[in-house]
Amino acid sequence: MPGVTPLQPSRFTRRNFLIGTGVTAAGLALYSGEIARHEIDIVQRSLAIEDLPTSFHGYRIVQLSDIHLDEYTEPFFLERIVNKINALAADLVLLTGDFITHGSLTFIAGSHALHRCAEILTTLTAPLRYGCLGNHDVAFDSATVINTLNAHGTHVLVNQYLPIERKGDRLWLCGVDDPGTSHPDLDLALPKKPDGPVILLVHEPDYADDVVAHPRGPLVDLMLSGHSHGGQIRLPFLGPLILPPMGEKYPEGLYRFNRMQLYVNRGIGTVGLPFRLNCPPEITVITLNPA
């Protein structure tokens, strides 16, 4: 038709769409696997504790969780984490489980990964460090994990408690066996009549409901957990895509249950795929203050 310009064929073809999508997916995988997975978030939390003894006002606790050496956490990354923790001048470092990953690579070289993890943790300069078991530690071999960490100065609490003393005052530090894979016993893990605040290490955060329901639950001031990794991949409006059993109800951050507070650390490692997105690895710095 005179005066009418023919329409040009579209250059947006299915092939171009697939190529563009593939490039975007590859870029996102590269970002989440190599960049976001190594972007460390140091989270500062000031927590008010009832009847906190004067000697513990301003007491600094660093929480580290879910190391998963070395599938997929590389030794150099854990060394970087330790250097950052040392710069924080903590009074106490607490490690809430999953030091290694129980899986295909760990089946071949799990003992090496465990020993390497324990060795790197010896370079922490805080005066005290303690930990509890995670589900991957139990699945690998509880006794081996406990003995290796204990031998390198990281004491693992399994259904037991001990006092942290400072200028005649006390905190009570407690830890249970992994709730998801073993036999936690709060009757053994919690003191009957503590003469100071009680801090409880539990790998799986959803176990908080069991703690609150236990007759000695009201004695617990602070529960520290990990396990969920915060979901590893979090999308806008959708939140975490995949959460593990016993890490679904309280996936990250701070929660309150009457007297007890629960803090869930996102961990530094990954499981399944070495990806993190909108969910950076976390070092938590908790400063205790009087309520």
Side-chain angles (χ1 to χ4, degrees), residues 206-229:
D206 292 359
Y207 189 68
D209 292 339
D210 294 77
V211 175
V212 172
H214 190 273
R216 292 187 208 167
L219 298 174
V220 179
D221 294 273
L222 176 62
M223 174 174 153
L224 298 178
S225 299
H227 182 57
S228 67
H229 303 185

Side-chain angles (χ1 to χ4, degrees), residues 39-45 60 62 80-81 83-85 87-88 263 265-266 280-286:
E39 290 182 328
I40 302 165
D41 187 14
I42 299 178
V43 178
Q44 302 275 353
R45 287 282 185 173
R60 287 163 61 83
V62 166
R80 187 190 304 170
I81 294 281
N83 289 336
K84 287 187 177 291
I85 292 175
L88 296 169
Y263 190 82
N265 177 291
R266 292 189 300 269
E282 175 179 352
I283 298 169
T284 314
V285 184
I286 296 170

Side-chain angles (χ1 to χ4, degrees), residues 14-201:
R14 183 184 178 195
R15 178 173 179 274
N16 290 338
F17 172 77
L18 293 175
I19 291 174
T21 303
V23 169
T24 301
L28 192 60
L30 178 63
Y31 171 76
S32 60
E34 294 300 322
I35 299 174
R37 186 168 64 87
H38 295 117
E39 290 182 328
I40 302 165
D41 187 14
I42 299 178
V43 178
Q44 302 275 353
R45 287 282 185 173
S46 178
L47 299 185
I49 303 295
E50 293 185 26
D51 303 318
L52 183 69
T54 304
S55 298
F56 287 97
H57 291 189
Y59 194 73
R60 287 163 61 83
I61 299 170
V62 166
Q63 182 192 3
L64 184 64
S65 196
D66 298 85
I67 296 171
H68 289 289
L69 202 78
D70 50 1
E71 187 184 350
Y72 298 94
T73 300
E74 308 92 341
F76 80 81
F77 186 51
L78 180 56
E79 290 170 350
R80 187 190 304 170
I81 294 281
V82 167
N83 289 336
K84 287 187 177 291
I85 292 175
N86 289 341
L88 296 169
D91 298 297
L92 171 66
V93 173
L94 298 177
L95 303 115
T96 44
D98 278 0
F99 296 88
I100 58 174
T101 297
H102 176 69
S104 57
L105 295 181
T106 307
F107 177 77
I108 299 170
S111 294
H112 172 75
L114 176 60
H115 280 84
R116 187 74 184 104
C117 180
E119 288 171 354
I120 295 171
L121 293 177
T122 64
T123 61
L124 286 164
T125 57
L128 299 169
R129 67 177 182 275
Y130 295 92
C132 67
L133 293 175
N135 56 302
H136 281 265
D137 304 320
V138 174
F140 176 72
D141 183 7
S142 295
T144 300
V145 173
I146 293 167
N147 293 336
T148 302
L149 290 170
N150 285 351
H152 287 81
T154 301
H155 186 63
V156 181
L157 298 174
V158 183
N159 295 330
Q160 61 190 123
Y161 59 85
L162 52 80
I164 303 293
E165 299 185 342
R166 194 178 201 191
K167 298 178 181 179
D169 293 327
R170 284 181 171 181
L171 292 177
W172 288 92
L173 183 62
C174 315
V176 295
D177 206 348
D178 179 67
T181 55
S182 198
H183 307 287
D185 190 333
L186 289 170
D187 289 324
L188 296 176
L190 298 177
K192 292 182 180 179
K193 295 180 179 180
D195 54 352
V198 174
I199 298 174
L200 176 63
L201 307 183

